[in-house]
Amino acid sequence: YINSLGGSQDFYGFVLAIYSFMSFCGKPILGRWSDATSFKIPYMVSISFSVFGGFLYAIAPVFTNNQTALASIALGRIFGGL
């Protein structure tokens, strides 16, 4: 998918790593928020971020500029990791 949009192997590795990194950074914050309040609101925020990230990932081929499409994929993975 990334290669078809003009991305390099290095960018492919970045996209794979950024999801895990954002999950590593975001889950403890959501966990503390969930402990302080009920779990429903943090859970819905997390699901909303994931849906938005999936949307950005899915619409990447719509962009005519390859750099914009690749940025959309990276942002989608960032939001998906949260």
Side-chain angles (χ1 to χ4, degrees):
Y1 190 55
I2 291 172
N3 290 334
S4 68
L5 294 172
S8 65
Q9 292 294 329
D10 291 336
F11 187 75
Y12 179 75
F14 171 75
V15 167
L16 287 177
I18 196 69
Y19 178 86
S20 297
F21 180 72
M22 292 308 295
S23 181
F24 175 76
C25 293
K27 298 307 180 201
I29 295 167
L30 285 172
R32 286 188 186 197
W33 184 20
S34 178
D35 289 342
T37 64
S38 70
F39 73 94
K40 292 179 184 178
I41 294 172
Y43 179 72
M44 293 305 291
V45 168
S46 179
I47 294 295
S48 299
F49 279 150
S50 294
V51 168
F52 182 66
F55 175 74
L56 286 175
Y57 193 81
I59 66 165
V62 173
F63 298 111
T64 57
N65 183 355
N66 285 348
Q67 295 299 329
T68 307
L70 294 173
S72 176
I73 290 173
L75 283 174
R77 295 294 286 180
I78 288 170
F79 279 105
L82 293 175

